[in-house]
Amino acid sequence: AYFGNLPGFFFPSNGHFVAIGINHVEAGYARYSSVTLYDAATFIAIGSFTNLKEMKGSADRYLPNHPLKDQLYAISFRRNCTNYNYCINVPETSLSLLSAMIFMERAYVDPNGSKGTDPAIMLPFRIIYGEDRSLIPSLWKSGLKSVYGRLRDALFPEEVINFLGWPMA
């Protein structure tokens, strides 16, 4: 099963994205699972994580006592992962500040068969955007924010967002 997410945001230096979802391997729906960030223009992979190493334990900080925490993941994509656990580093040399991006989740092969699990019974992942306001440069405060908004609106016009059923941010 493949699930995609086009956030409708650029990746500013003070921003970060958190991929949250079901570890389909731990939940018993797949033999392998991954989430990858791609540059939308080139479709080159920028960074990824898998069930093999990074997923397990990543949701503990949000749900420390939840009985299903090992079946969930929460991993950040940041410009600088220094001092952050469960984080994928995305330097500007890999993905520029104004590049559009796509996140893709994959879950391969039903563990009880030789085909993929029916996507209708799987819960797609979600991407949450956040930013550290202390890192916002004075340029942003003095007008770059409106330029950024106009660029976002040009790349992701409201009729496209409505057609795809995405909520406006």
Side-chain angles (χ1 to χ4, degrees), residues 23 32-33 49-58 75 86:
N23 180 336
Y32 174 81
S33 186
F49 61 89
T50 71
N51 68 287
L52 300 175
K53 290 194 264 183
E54 298 91 355
M55 284 185 187
K56 195 163 186 167
S58 64
I75 297 183
Y86 301 103

Side-chain angles (χ1 to χ4, degrees), residues 3-59:
F3 299 106
N5 191 306
L6 186 65
F9 290 94
F10 295 110
F11 201 149
S13 56
N14 67 311
H16 64 275
F17 294 87
V18 181
I20 61 170
I22 306 296
N23 180 336
H24 294 292
V25 173
E26 291 293 323
Y29 290 108
R31 293 184 188 170
Y32 174 81
S33 186
S34 69
V35 174
T36 303
L37 169 64
Y38 292 93
D39 181 317
T42 62
F43 220 63
I44 293 175
I46 305 300
S48 66
F49 61 89
T50 71
N51 68 287
L52 300 175
K53 290 194 264 183
E54 298 91 355
M55 284 185 187
K56 195 163 186 167
S58 64

Side-chain angles (χ1 to χ4, degrees), residues 20-164:
I20 61 170
I22 306 296
N23 180 336
H24 294 292
V25 173
E26 291 293 323
Y29 290 108
R31 293 184 188 170
Y32 174 81
S33 186
S34 69
V35 174
T36 303
L37 169 64
Y38 292 93
D39 181 317
T42 62
F43 220 63
I44 293 175
I46 305 300
S48 66
F49 61 89
T50 71
N51 68 287
L52 300 175
K53 290 194 264 183
E54 298 91 355
M55 284 185 187
K56 195 163 186 167
S58 64
D60 290 1
R61 63 185 162 180
Y62 301 107
L63 302 164
N65 300 315
H66 197 281
L68 299 176
K69 67 182 180 180
D70 287 338
Q71 294 183 17
L72 305 170
Y73 63 81
I75 297 183
S76 297
F77 288 81
R78 294 179 173 272
R79 292 294 187 182
N80 183 344
C81 287
T82 304
N83 299 324
Y84 291 99
N85 294 324
Y86 301 103
C87 184
I88 306 301
N89 198 49
V90 183
E92 288 179 35
T93 55
S94 297
L95 185 73
S96 73
L97 293 174
L98 296 178
S99 291
M101 66 199 123
I102 299 170
F103 289 90
M104 293 291 294
E105 179 184 43
R106 293 175 183 84
Y108 293 124
V109 187
D110 186 315
N112 301 313
S114 60
K115 296 182 179 180
T117 301
D118 181 0
I121 65 170
M122 299 174 79
L123 186 63
F125 76 123
R126 298 287 185 254
I127 299 294
I128 300 170
Y129 174 75
E131 51 189 42
D132 183 347
R133 300 269 181 203
S134 68
L135 298 176
I136 297 176
S138 58
L139 248 179
W140 181 264
K141 293 176 185 174
S142 68
L144 189 58
K145 186 174 185 177
S146 65
V147 171
Y148 175 82
R150 288 195 305 273
L151 281 170
R152 186 190 67 215
D153 293 344
L155 288 171
F156 308 103
E158 189 171 345
E159 56 271 11
V160 171
I161 302 298
N162 290 337
F163 175 76
L164 295 171

